[in-house]
Every structure is written in structure tokens, then in C-alpha cells.
């Protein structure tokens, strides 16, 4: 099972991006037996040849955009494709057209294709770096999930990944730590384990769920009344 960092922000985000942020890790979170599929521009045979020339052996399947559009149009075909591979990569030049071609299945399963630069001279290194990292997808709302480990990993490995990833994650969030409400750790089936919680900001009014004033607010108003009487 995957282990996730759940980052809750204070400010609501109304912007989303197709291209995710790359977050480096100390230990790879791709299972050793997981197969990798790569989406490329047409014609796909040129990129199969390129991978052979660059001695890239980490990619198990190459699919061109035309083949993806023609062969994987039915929902069931997309579902089977999603389930067949542990990780999906994509030529950065075709990333923006993939959401429409792949549908919701890949995004619900959190298997969005990761962009790679297929024009890199050291393509083998570029692919290895993509597989060895995790990714933060900017979505609308106040909650972001970043895959940080696997339940098969040791506690020390997961801890090392968290320590390596958090500075890079915070760097990508507007207002950085000032905008972080909470950070939790959870697996697909566990409850969330809090590892960071922001303290209430000074001057923030707290109201309970019934719409009644909180005790703190009432005290603030009493103090204001006393100050007015003194004047």
C-alpha cells in the first residue's frame, strides 16, 4: 500500500496544473516489480528506437498519442491500461492533451503521467530521475496528497523520504509555512496521523458550529467594552 503526506492549507486554491511538481526522495517509492508505461508523440516507433539507442531499460511499454486515442477510447480499455502498469511517464510535450484522452480513471487512482524531457542528451538519467521521485499535483481546494512511501518500506526509509520531501513541498506552496494548516501521514486504509498542526493566528475569531460566539470572542468583546468605559 502507498503511504501519503496530506497537506492542508489555510487558503483555498482555485487553480490547477496538468504538470506536477517533482519532489526528490531518498528512497524510490516505485515497487521493484512495477512496470512503467511511457506516452510519446507520434510516431511511437521513433521513440522506441530512441530508448534502445539510449539503453533505457526501465520503460516496459511505449504508446503514441494516436494509438492511445484509437485503441484506448472505451472506458474499460482505459481502466485495464491503468491497472496494467505501476507508473506512467509522458513526453512533456504531450502532457496537456492526456487528461482528455485518459479520462478520470488515471486521476482517481492517482496515476497521472509524469512528464519527462525526451530531448535530453542523457535520457537514461532523465527517466531514472522521474522514476526515483514523487510528485505534487496542484489541484483546487485546500488539501493536497503526496505519495511518500510504501508499507513495505522501513520506518527509517519513510522518515528519510519525509525529511527530504517536505522542504521541496513547502517551497511550492504560496506563502509557504504561513499557509500550512496541517500535515498528516496516512496509508490508503489507515486514519490520518498528524505530524504538524498550525497554532491559531492572533486576532482570529473562532465561532462554534452552531454559530454561537466562542468563549475567546466573548472575552475579547468584554475587554473592548471595558476599554470604552475607561475612556
Amino acid at each position: 500500500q502507498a503511504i501519503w503526506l496530506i497537506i492542508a492549507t489555510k487558503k483555498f486554491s482555485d487553480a490547477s496544473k496538468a504538470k506536477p511538481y517533482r519532489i526528490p526522495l531518498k528512497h524510490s517509492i516505485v515497487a521493484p516489480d512495477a512496470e512503467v508505461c511511457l506516452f510519446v508523440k507520434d510516431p511511437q516507433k521513433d521513440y522506441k528506437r530512441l530508448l534502445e539507442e539510449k539503453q533505457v531499460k526501465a520503460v516496459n511499454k511505449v504508446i503514441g498519442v494516436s494509438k492511445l486515442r484509437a485503441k484506448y477510447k472505451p472506458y474499460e480499455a482505459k481502466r485495464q491500461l491503468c491497472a496494467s502498469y505501476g507508473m506512467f511517464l509522458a513526453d512533456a510535450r504531450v502532457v496537456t492533451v492526456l487528461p482528455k484522452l485518459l479520462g478520470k480513471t488515471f486521476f482517481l487512482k492517482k496515476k497521472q503521467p509524469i512528464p519527462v524531457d525526451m530531448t535530453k542528451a542523457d535520457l537514461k538519467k532523465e527517466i531514472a530521475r522521474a522514476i526515483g521521485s514523487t510528485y505534487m499535483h496542484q489541484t483546487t481546494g485546500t488539501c493536497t496528497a503526496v505519495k511518500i512511501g510504501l508499507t513495505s518500506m522501513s520506518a527509517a526509509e519513510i522518515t528519510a523520504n519525509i525529511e527530504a520531501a517536505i522542504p521541496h513541498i513547502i517551497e511550492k506552496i504560496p506563502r509557504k509555512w504561513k499557509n500550512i494548516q496541517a500535515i498528516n501521514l496516512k496509508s490508503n486504509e489507515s486514519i490520518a496521523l498528524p505530524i504538524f498542526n498550525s497554532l491559531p493566528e492572533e486576532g482570529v475569531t473562532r465561532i462554534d458550529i452552531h454559530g454561537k460566539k466562542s468563549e475567546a470572542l466573548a472575552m475579547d468583546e468584554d475587554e473592548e467594552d471595558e476599554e470604552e468605559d475607561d475612556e
Side-chain angles (χ1 to χ4, degrees), residues 97-132:
V97 305
L98 293 178
K100 185 176 181 180
L101 296 177
L102 296 175
K104 294 181 179 180
T105 301
F106 282 72
F107 300 91
L108 292 174
K109 295 291 185 180
K110 300 189 185 298
K111 285 189 175 182
Q112 297 98 317
I114 302 305
V116 292
D117 186 349
M118 296 297 292
T119 66
K120 287 282 188 180
D122 193 343
L123 186 56
K124 188 174 183 179
K125 182 179 179 180
E126 173 74 358
I127 298 292
R129 190 175 75 151
I131 295 174

PDB file of all heavy atoms in Angstrom, residues 97-132:
ATOM      1  N   VAL A  97      -2.434  17.176 -23.370  1.00  0.00           N
ATOM      2  CA  VAL A  97      -3.534  16.539 -24.114  1.00  0.00           C
ATOM      3  C   VAL A  97      -3.984  15.234 -23.461  1.00  0.00           C
ATOM      4  O   VAL A  97      -5.024  14.683 -23.828  1.00  0.00           O
ATOM      5  CB  VAL A  97      -3.145  16.267 -25.585  1.00  0.00           C
ATOM      6  CG1 VAL A  97      -2.685  17.543 -26.262  1.00  0.00           C
ATOM      7  CG2 VAL A  97      -2.067  15.186 -25.703  1.00  0.00           C
ATOM      8  N   LEU A  98      -3.219  14.743 -22.504  1.00  0.00           N
ATOM      9  CA  LEU A  98      -3.512  13.431 -21.916  1.00  0.00           C
ATOM     10  C   LEU A  98      -4.746  13.384 -21.017  1.00  0.00           C
ATOM     11  O   LEU A  98      -5.455  12.372 -21.023  1.00  0.00           O
ATOM     12  CB  LEU A  98      -2.286  12.906 -21.158  1.00  0.00           C
ATOM     13  CG  LEU A  98      -1.083  12.560 -22.037  1.00  0.00           C
ATOM     14  CD1 LEU A  98       0.088  12.104 -21.171  1.00  0.00           C
ATOM     15  CD2 LEU A  98      -1.439  11.489 -23.059  1.00  0.00           C
ATOM     16  N   PRO A  99      -5.034  14.402 -20.197  1.00  0.00           N
ATOM     17  CA  PRO A  99      -6.221  14.299 -19.336  1.00  0.00           C
ATOM     18  C   PRO A  99      -7.490  13.956 -20.106  1.00  0.00           C
ATOM     19  O   PRO A  99      -8.292  13.131 -19.654  1.00  0.00           O
ATOM     20  CB  PRO A  99      -6.296  15.693 -18.699  1.00  0.00           C
ATOM     21  CG  PRO A  99      -4.879  16.149 -18.652  1.00  0.00           C
ATOM     22  CD  PRO A  99      -4.260  15.626 -19.917  1.00  0.00           C
ATOM     23  N   LYS A 100      -7.691  14.549 -21.249  1.00  0.00           N
ATOM     24  CA  LYS A 100      -8.887  14.271 -22.038  1.00  0.00           C
ATOM     25  C   LYS A 100      -8.859  12.868 -22.620  1.00  0.00           C
ATOM     26  O   LYS A 100      -9.892  12.186 -22.696  1.00  0.00           O
ATOM     27  CB  LYS A 100      -9.010  15.305 -23.161  1.00  0.00           C
ATOM     28  CG  LYS A 100     -10.285  15.172 -23.977  1.00  0.00           C
ATOM     29  CD  LYS A 100     -10.395  16.275 -25.014  1.00  0.00           C
ATOM     30  CE  LYS A 100     -11.692  16.157 -25.811  1.00  0.00           C
ATOM     31  NZ  LYS A 100     -11.807  17.239 -26.833  1.00  0.00           N
ATOM     32  N   LEU A 101      -7.678  12.392 -23.026  1.00  0.00           N
ATOM     33  CA  LEU A 101      -7.559  11.067 -23.633  1.00  0.00           C
ATOM     34  C   LEU A 101      -7.650   9.943 -22.603  1.00  0.00           C
ATOM     35  O   LEU A 101      -8.167   8.866 -22.900  1.00  0.00           O
ATOM     36  CB  LEU A 101      -6.232  10.955 -24.400  1.00  0.00           C
ATOM     37  CG  LEU A 101      -6.056  11.880 -25.613  1.00  0.00           C
ATOM     38  CD1 LEU A 101      -4.670  11.700 -26.216  1.00  0.00           C
ATOM     39  CD2 LEU A 101      -7.131  11.605 -26.662  1.00  0.00           C
ATOM     40  N   LEU A 102      -7.155  10.196 -21.404  1.00  0.00           N
ATOM     41  CA  LEU A 102      -7.118   9.152 -20.380  1.00  0.00           C
ATOM     42  C   LEU A 102      -8.388   9.099 -19.536  1.00  0.00           C
ATOM     43  O   LEU A 102      -8.711   8.066 -18.960  1.00  0.00           O
ATOM     44  CB  LEU A 102      -5.901   9.358 -19.466  1.00  0.00           C
ATOM     45  CG  LEU A 102      -4.531   9.223 -20.133  1.00  0.00           C
ATOM     46  CD1 LEU A 102      -3.433   9.580 -19.144  1.00  0.00           C
ATOM     47  CD2 LEU A 102      -4.328   7.810 -20.674  1.00  0.00           C
ATOM     48  N   GLY A 103      -9.086  10.215 -19.431  1.00  0.00           N
ATOM     49  CA  GLY A 103     -10.297  10.233 -18.622  1.00  0.00           C
ATOM     50  C   GLY A 103     -10.003  10.310 -17.133  1.00  0.00           C
ATOM     51  O   GLY A 103      -8.868  10.536 -16.710  1.00  0.00           O
ATOM     52  N   LYS A 104     -11.021  10.076 -16.310  1.00  0.00           N
ATOM     53  CA  LYS A 104     -10.906  10.257 -14.866  1.00  0.00           C
ATOM     54  C   LYS A 104     -10.209   9.105 -14.150  1.00  0.00           C
ATOM     55  O   LYS A 104      -9.707   9.273 -13.045  1.00  0.00           O
ATOM     56  CB  LYS A 104     -12.306  10.445 -14.252  1.00  0.00           C
ATOM     57  CG  LYS A 104     -13.011  11.719 -14.690  1.00  0.00           C
ATOM     58  CD  LYS A 104     -14.362  11.823 -14.014  1.00  0.00           C
ATOM     59  CE  LYS A 104     -15.087  13.105 -14.427  1.00  0.00           C
ATOM     60  NZ  LYS A 104     -16.416  13.219 -13.769  1.00  0.00           N
ATOM     61  N   THR A 105     -10.202   7.926 -14.779  1.00  0.00           N
ATOM     62  CA  THR A 105      -9.676   6.732 -14.094  1.00  0.00           C
ATOM     63  C   THR A 105      -8.271   6.936 -13.567  1.00  0.00           C
ATOM     64  O   THR A 105      -7.971   6.639 -12.401  1.00  0.00           O
ATOM     65  CB  THR A 105      -9.699   5.518 -15.042  1.00  0.00           C
ATOM     66  OG1 THR A 105     -11.037   5.287 -15.480  1.00  0.00           O
ATOM     67  CG2 THR A 105      -9.178   4.284 -14.339  1.00  0.00           C
ATOM     68  N   PHE A 106      -7.374   7.450 -14.396  1.00  0.00           N
ATOM     69  CA  PHE A 106      -5.977   7.627 -14.006  1.00  0.00           C
ATOM     70  C   PHE A 106      -5.847   8.614 -12.846  1.00  0.00           C
ATOM     71  O   PHE A 106      -4.994   8.447 -11.977  1.00  0.00           O
ATOM     72  CB  PHE A 106      -5.156   8.119 -15.196  1.00  0.00           C
ATOM     73  CG  PHE A 106      -4.807   7.037 -16.173  1.00  0.00           C
ATOM     74  CD1 PHE A 106      -5.769   6.474 -17.002  1.00  0.00           C
ATOM     75  CD2 PHE A 106      -3.503   6.556 -16.270  1.00  0.00           C
ATOM     76  CE1 PHE A 106      -5.455   5.472 -17.905  1.00  0.00           C
ATOM     77  CE2 PHE A 106      -3.170   5.559 -17.165  1.00  0.00           C
ATOM     78  CZ  PHE A 106      -4.150   5.014 -17.987  1.00  0.00           C
ATOM     79  N   PHE A 107      -6.690   9.635 -12.842  1.00  0.00           N
ATOM     80  CA  PHE A 107      -6.577  10.668 -11.826  1.00  0.00           C
ATOM     81  C   PHE A 107      -7.214  10.237 -10.510  1.00  0.00           C
ATOM     82  O   PHE A 107      -6.727  10.582  -9.441  1.00  0.00           O
ATOM     83  CB  PHE A 107      -7.189  11.964 -12.365  1.00  0.00           C
ATOM     84  CG  PHE A 107      -6.483  12.433 -13.613  1.00  0.00           C
ATOM     85  CD1 PHE A 107      -6.920  12.026 -14.866  1.00  0.00           C
ATOM     86  CD2 PHE A 107      -5.346  13.212 -13.536  1.00  0.00           C
ATOM     87  CE1 PHE A 107      -6.250  12.413 -16.019  1.00  0.00           C
ATOM     88  CE2 PHE A 107      -4.668  13.600 -14.674  1.00  0.00           C
ATOM     89  CZ  PHE A 107      -5.116  13.203 -15.919  1.00  0.00           C
ATOM     90  N   LEU A 108      -8.272   9.435 -10.589  1.00  0.00           N
ATOM     91  CA  LEU A 108      -8.869   8.889  -9.372  1.00  0.00           C
ATOM     92  C   LEU A 108      -7.929   7.892  -8.706  1.00  0.00           C
ATOM     93  O   LEU A 108      -7.883   7.793  -7.479  1.00  0.00           O
ATOM     94  CB  LEU A 108     -10.208   8.218  -9.695  1.00  0.00           C
ATOM     95  CG  LEU A 108     -11.343   9.150 -10.124  1.00  0.00           C
ATOM     96  CD1 LEU A 108     -12.562   8.339 -10.549  1.00  0.00           C
ATOM     97  CD2 LEU A 108     -11.717  10.108  -8.999  1.00  0.00           C
ATOM     98  N   LYS A 109      -7.171   7.152  -9.513  1.00  0.00           N
ATOM     99  CA  LYS A 109      -6.204   6.185  -9.000  1.00  0.00           C
ATOM    100  C   LYS A 109      -4.855   6.827  -8.677  1.00  0.00           C
ATOM    101  O   LYS A 109      -3.922   6.148  -8.259  1.00  0.00           O
ATOM    102  CB  LYS A 109      -5.989   5.059 -10.018  1.00  0.00           C
ATOM    103  CG  LYS A 109      -7.216   4.199 -10.276  1.00  0.00           C
ATOM    104  CD  LYS A 109      -7.567   3.354  -9.071  1.00  0.00           C
ATOM    105  CE  LYS A 109      -8.721   2.409  -9.374  1.00  0.00           C
ATOM    106  NZ  LYS A 109      -9.059   1.565  -8.183  1.00  0.00           N
ATOM    107  N   LYS A 110      -4.774   8.139  -8.886  1.00  0.00           N
ATOM    108  CA  LYS A 110      -3.541   8.896  -8.651  1.00  0.00           C
ATOM    109  C   LYS A 110      -2.370   8.324  -9.450  1.00  0.00           C
ATOM    110  O   LYS A 110      -1.260   8.159  -8.945  1.00  0.00           O
ATOM    111  CB  LYS A 110      -3.216   8.955  -7.154  1.00  0.00           C
ATOM    112  CG  LYS A 110      -4.317   9.618  -6.326  1.00  0.00           C
ATOM    113  CD  LYS A 110      -3.887   9.850  -4.904  1.00  0.00           C
ATOM    114  CE  LYS A 110      -5.041  10.408  -4.075  1.00  0.00           C
ATOM    115  NZ  LYS A 110      -5.500  11.707  -4.553  1.00  0.00           N
ATOM    116  N   LYS A 111      -2.650   8.035 -10.720  1.00  0.00           N
ATOM    117  CA  LYS A 111      -1.618   7.536 -11.630  1.00  0.00           C
ATOM    118  C   LYS A 111      -1.424   8.491 -12.805  1.00  0.00           C
ATOM    119  O   LYS A 111      -1.195   8.061 -13.936  1.00  0.00           O
ATOM    120  CB  LYS A 111      -1.989   6.135 -12.135  1.00  0.00           C
ATOM    121  CG  LYS A 111      -1.788   5.025 -11.123  1.00  0.00           C
ATOM    122  CD  LYS A 111      -1.961   3.668 -11.787  1.00  0.00           C
ATOM    123  CE  LYS A 111      -1.648   2.521 -10.838  1.00  0.00           C
ATOM    124  NZ  LYS A 111      -1.776   1.203 -11.523  1.00  0.00           N
ATOM    125  N   GLN A 112      -1.509   9.781 -12.517  1.00  0.00           N
ATOM    126  CA  GLN A 112      -1.296  10.762 -13.571  1.00  0.00           C
ATOM    127  C   GLN A 112       0.096  10.574 -14.176  1.00  0.00           C
ATOM    128  O   GLN A 112       1.068  10.354 -13.462  1.00  0.00           O
ATOM    129  CB  GLN A 112      -1.409  12.187 -13.015  1.00  0.00           C
ATOM    130  CG  GLN A 112      -2.778  12.536 -12.454  1.00  0.00           C
ATOM    131  CD  GLN A 112      -2.849  12.398 -10.958  1.00  0.00           C
ATOM    132  OE1 GLN A 112      -2.344  11.432 -10.394  1.00  0.00           O
ATOM    133  NE2 GLN A 112      -3.477  13.359 -10.304  1.00  0.00           N
ATOM    134  N   PRO A 113       0.197  10.653 -15.516  1.00  0.00           N
ATOM    135  CA  PRO A 113       1.512  10.512 -16.159  1.00  0.00           C
ATOM    136  C   PRO A 113       2.476  11.612 -15.720  1.00  0.00           C
ATOM    137  O   PRO A 113       2.108  12.777 -15.610  1.00  0.00           O
ATOM    138  CB  PRO A 113       1.183  10.634 -17.653  1.00  0.00           C
ATOM    139  CG  PRO A 113      -0.259  10.249 -17.748  1.00  0.00           C
ATOM    140  CD  PRO A 113      -0.896  10.771 -16.493  1.00  0.00           C
ATOM    141  N   ILE A 114       3.710  11.205 -15.472  1.00  0.00           N
ATOM    142  CA  ILE A 114       4.753  12.126 -15.035  1.00  0.00           C
ATOM    143  C   ILE A 114       5.521  12.632 -16.253  1.00  0.00           C
ATOM    144  O   ILE A 114       5.994  11.835 -17.064  1.00  0.00           O
ATOM    145  CB  ILE A 114       5.715  11.426 -14.059  1.00  0.00           C
ATOM    146  CG1 ILE A 114       4.943  10.891 -12.844  1.00  0.00           C
ATOM    147  CG2 ILE A 114       6.831  12.369 -13.639  1.00  0.00           C
ATOM    148  CD1 ILE A 114       4.114  11.917 -12.115  1.00  0.00           C
ATOM    149  N   PRO A 115       5.670  13.942 -16.421  1.00  0.00           N
ATOM    150  CA  PRO A 115       6.370  14.459 -17.600  1.00  0.00           C
ATOM    151  C   PRO A 115       7.874  14.218 -17.553  1.00  0.00           C
ATOM    152  O   PRO A 115       8.504  14.360 -16.503  1.00  0.00           O
ATOM    153  CB  PRO A 115       6.057  15.963 -17.555  1.00  0.00           C
ATOM    154  CG  PRO A 115       5.745  16.252 -16.135  1.00  0.00           C
ATOM    155  CD  PRO A 115       5.113  15.012 -15.578  1.00  0.00           C
ATOM    156  N   VAL A 116       8.434  13.848 -18.698  1.00  0.00           N
ATOM    157  CA  VAL A 116       9.887  13.706 -18.855  1.00  0.00           C
ATOM    158  C   VAL A 116      10.300  14.431 -20.134  1.00  0.00           C
ATOM    159  O   VAL A 116       9.518  14.545 -21.075  1.00  0.00           O
ATOM    160  CB  VAL A 116      10.331  12.226 -18.921  1.00  0.00           C
ATOM    161  CG1 VAL A 116      10.129  11.543 -17.587  1.00  0.00           C
ATOM    162  CG2 VAL A 116       9.581  11.473 -20.016  1.00  0.00           C
ATOM    163  N   ASP A 117      11.519  14.916 -20.148  1.00  0.00           N
ATOM    164  CA  ASP A 117      12.036  15.633 -21.308  1.00  0.00           C
ATOM    165  C   ASP A 117      12.720  14.635 -22.239  1.00  0.00           C
ATOM    166  O   ASP A 117      13.840  14.204 -21.981  1.00  0.00           O
ATOM    167  CB  ASP A 117      13.029  16.709 -20.852  1.00  0.00           C
ATOM    168  CG  ASP A 117      13.493  17.598 -21.995  1.00  0.00           C
ATOM    169  OD1 ASP A 117      13.222  17.267 -23.163  1.00  0.00           O
ATOM    170  OD2 ASP A 117      14.151  18.618 -21.713  1.00  0.00           O
ATOM    171  N   MET A 118      12.030  14.276 -23.307  1.00  0.00           N
ATOM    172  CA  MET A 118      12.552  13.271 -24.232  1.00  0.00           C
ATOM    173  C   MET A 118      13.661  13.813 -25.136  1.00  0.00           C
ATOM    174  O   MET A 118      14.239  13.076 -25.927  1.00  0.00           O
ATOM    175  CB  MET A 118      11.414  12.705 -25.085  1.00  0.00           C
ATOM    176  CG  MET A 118      10.360  11.950 -24.299  1.00  0.00           C
ATOM    177  SD  MET A 118      11.009  10.480 -23.471  1.00  0.00           S
ATOM    178  CE  MET A 118      11.380   9.433 -24.888  1.00  0.00           C
ATOM    179  N   THR A 119      13.962  15.106 -25.008  1.00  0.00           N
ATOM    180  CA  THR A 119      15.039  15.692 -25.818  1.00  0.00           C
ATOM    181  C   THR A 119      16.367  15.720 -25.059  1.00  0.00           C
ATOM    182  O   THR A 119      17.385  16.163 -25.613  1.00  0.00           O
ATOM    183  CB  THR A 119      14.671  17.126 -26.244  1.00  0.00           C
ATOM    184  OG1 THR A 119      14.603  17.971 -25.087  1.00  0.00           O
ATOM    185  CG2 THR A 119      13.326  17.157 -26.953  1.00  0.00           C
ATOM    186  N   LYS A 120      16.375  15.269 -23.817  1.00  0.00           N
ATOM    187  CA  LYS A 120      17.603  15.285 -23.010  1.00  0.00           C
ATOM    188  C   LYS A 120      18.676  14.404 -23.638  1.00  0.00           C
ATOM    189  O   LYS A 120      18.391  13.304 -24.130  1.00  0.00           O
ATOM    190  CB  LYS A 120      17.310  14.789 -21.601  1.00  0.00           C
ATOM    191  CG  LYS A 120      16.533  15.757 -20.719  1.00  0.00           C
ATOM    192  CD  LYS A 120      17.444  16.843 -20.177  1.00  0.00           C
ATOM    193  CE  LYS A 120      16.745  17.696 -19.145  1.00  0.00           C
ATOM    194  NZ  LYS A 120      17.612  18.752 -18.608  1.00  0.00           N
ATOM    195  N   ALA A 121      19.913  14.876 -23.587  1.00  0.00           N
ATOM    196  CA  ALA A 121      21.032  14.097 -24.105  1.00  0.00           C
ATOM    197  C   ALA A 121      21.204  12.815 -23.285  1.00  0.00           C
ATOM    198  O   ALA A 121      21.404  11.733 -23.832  1.00  0.00           O
ATOM    199  CB  ALA A 121      22.306  14.931 -24.076  1.00  0.00           C
ATOM    200  N   ASP A 122      21.088  12.966 -21.958  1.00  0.00           N
ATOM    201  CA  ASP A 122      21.197  11.797 -21.075  1.00  0.00           C
ATOM    202  C   ASP A 122      19.781  11.356 -20.715  1.00  0.00           C
ATOM    203  O   ASP A 122      19.298  11.600 -19.607  1.00  0.00           O
ATOM    204  CB  ASP A 122      21.996  12.144 -19.825  1.00  0.00           C
ATOM    205  CG  ASP A 122      22.405  10.897 -19.041  1.00  0.00           C
ATOM    206  OD1 ASP A 122      21.816   9.834 -19.279  1.00  0.00           O
ATOM    207  OD2 ASP A 122      23.312  11.002 -18.193  1.00  0.00           O
ATOM    208  N   LEU A 123      19.124  10.708 -21.655  1.00  0.00           N
ATOM    209  CA  LEU A 123      17.734  10.306 -21.463  1.00  0.00           C
ATOM    210  C   LEU A 123      17.598   9.244 -20.374  1.00  0.00           C
ATOM    211  O   LEU A 123      16.613   9.213 -19.642  1.00  0.00           O
ATOM    212  CB  LEU A 123      17.152   9.789 -22.779  1.00  0.00           C
ATOM    213  CG  LEU A 123      15.660   9.460 -22.791  1.00  0.00           C
ATOM    214  CD1 LEU A 123      14.827  10.662 -22.372  1.00  0.00           C
ATOM    215  CD2 LEU A 123      15.237   8.962 -24.168  1.00  0.00           C
ATOM    216  N   LYS A 124      18.580   8.405 -20.259  1.00  0.00           N
ATOM    217  CA  LYS A 124      18.563   7.354 -19.238  1.00  0.00           C
ATOM    218  C   LYS A 124      18.508   7.974 -17.843  1.00  0.00           C
ATOM    219  O   LYS A 124      17.745   7.522 -16.980  1.00  0.00           O
ATOM    220  CB  LYS A 124      19.800   6.459 -19.379  1.00  0.00           C
ATOM    221  CG  LYS A 124      19.781   5.230 -18.491  1.00  0.00           C
ATOM    222  CD  LYS A 124      20.977   4.334 -18.805  1.00  0.00           C
ATOM    223  CE  LYS A 124      20.952   3.056 -17.969  1.00  0.00           C
ATOM    224  NZ  LYS A 124      22.107   2.169 -18.303  1.00  0.00           N
ATOM    225  N   LYS A 125      19.284   9.021 -17.628  1.00  0.00           N
ATOM    226  CA  LYS A 125      19.288   9.717 -16.334  1.00  0.00           C
ATOM    227  C   LYS A 125      17.968  10.429 -16.097  1.00  0.00           C
ATOM    228  O   LYS A 125      17.446  10.446 -14.981  1.00  0.00           O
ATOM    229  CB  LYS A 125      20.447  10.721 -16.289  1.00  0.00           C
ATOM    230  CG  LYS A 125      20.572  11.466 -14.970  1.00  0.00           C
ATOM    231  CD  LYS A 125      21.758  12.410 -14.994  1.00  0.00           C
ATOM    232  CE  LYS A 125      21.887  13.176 -13.682  1.00  0.00           C
ATOM    233  NZ  LYS A 125      23.059  14.107 -13.712  1.00  0.00           N
ATOM    234  N   GLU A 126      17.405  11.032 -17.152  1.00  0.00           N
ATOM    235  CA  GLU A 126      16.124  11.738 -17.053  1.00  0.00           C
ATOM    236  C   GLU A 126      15.001  10.783 -16.641  1.00  0.00           C
ATOM    237  O   GLU A 126      14.183  11.101 -15.765  1.00  0.00           O
ATOM    238  CB  GLU A 126      15.790  12.390 -18.394  1.00  0.00           C
ATOM    239  CG  GLU A 126      14.408  13.008 -18.492  1.00  0.00           C
ATOM    240  CD  GLU A 126      14.252  14.301 -17.728  1.00  0.00           C
ATOM    241  OE1 GLU A 126      15.227  14.730 -17.071  1.00  0.00           O
ATOM    242  OE2 GLU A 126      13.155  14.883 -17.766  1.00  0.00           O
ATOM    243  N   ILE A 127      14.975   9.599 -17.229  1.00  0.00           N
ATOM    244  CA  ILE A 127      13.955   8.600 -16.890  1.00  0.00           C
ATOM    245  C   ILE A 127      14.150   8.102 -15.463  1.00  0.00           C
ATOM    246  O   ILE A 127      13.193   7.962 -14.693  1.00  0.00           O
ATOM    247  CB  ILE A 127      13.990   7.426 -17.879  1.00  0.00           C
ATOM    248  CG1 ILE A 127      13.674   7.890 -19.304  1.00  0.00           C
ATOM    249  CG2 ILE A 127      13.022   6.326 -17.436  1.00  0.00           C
ATOM    250  CD1 ILE A 127      12.267   8.348 -19.541  1.00  0.00           C
ATOM    251  N   ALA A 128      15.395   7.843 -15.091  1.00  0.00           N
ATOM    252  CA  ALA A 128      15.694   7.344 -13.748  1.00  0.00           C
ATOM    253  C   ALA A 128      15.306   8.363 -12.679  1.00  0.00           C
ATOM    254  O   ALA A 128      14.789   8.009 -11.619  1.00  0.00           O
ATOM    255  CB  ALA A 128      17.184   7.010 -13.642  1.00  0.00           C
ATOM    256  N   ARG A 129      15.549   9.628 -12.962  1.00  0.00           N
ATOM    257  CA  ARG A 129      15.192  10.685 -12.014  1.00  0.00           C
ATOM    258  C   ARG A 129      13.684  10.777 -11.836  1.00  0.00           C
ATOM    259  O   ARG A 129      13.191  10.984 -10.723  1.00  0.00           O
ATOM    260  CB  ARG A 129      15.742  12.030 -12.495  1.00  0.00           C
ATOM    261  CG  ARG A 129      15.624  13.133 -11.459  1.00  0.00           C
ATOM    262  CD  ARG A 129      16.286  14.407 -11.915  1.00  0.00           C
ATOM    263  NE  ARG A 129      15.500  15.094 -12.924  1.00  0.00           N
ATOM    264  CZ  ARG A 129      15.522  16.417 -13.100  1.00  0.00           C
ATOM    265  NH1 ARG A 129      16.310  17.173 -12.363  1.00  0.00           N
ATOM    266  NH2 ARG A 129      14.779  16.977 -14.041  1.00  0.00           N
ATOM    267  N   ALA A 130      12.939  10.613 -12.939  1.00  0.00           N
ATOM    268  CA  ALA A 130      11.481  10.656 -12.867  1.00  0.00           C
ATOM    269  C   ALA A 130      10.933   9.504 -12.032  1.00  0.00           C
ATOM    270  O   ALA A 130      10.025   9.685 -11.215  1.00  0.00           O
ATOM    271  CB  ALA A 130      10.897  10.619 -14.277  1.00  0.00           C
ATOM    272  N   ILE A 131      11.505   8.321 -12.240  1.00  0.00           N
ATOM    273  CA  ILE A 131      11.040   7.145 -11.509  1.00  0.00           C
ATOM    274  C   ILE A 131      11.430   7.212 -10.034  1.00  0.00           C
ATOM    275  O   ILE A 131      10.707   6.714  -9.164  1.00  0.00           O
ATOM    276  CB  ILE A 131      11.600   5.861 -12.164  1.00  0.00           C
ATOM    277  CG1 ILE A 131      11.010   5.700 -13.578  1.00  0.00           C
ATOM    278  CG2 ILE A 131      11.303   4.626 -11.318  1.00  0.00           C
ATOM    279  CD1 ILE A 131      11.602   4.548 -14.363  1.00  0.00           C
ATOM    280  N   GLY A 132      12.530   7.863  -9.729  1.00  0.00           N
ATOM    281  CA  GLY A 132      13.026   7.929  -8.353  1.00  0.00           C
ATOM    282  C   GLY A 132      12.463   9.072  -7.525  1.00  0.00           C
ATOM    283  O   GLY A 132      12.884   9.267  -6.382  1.00  0.00           O
TER     284      GLY A 132
END
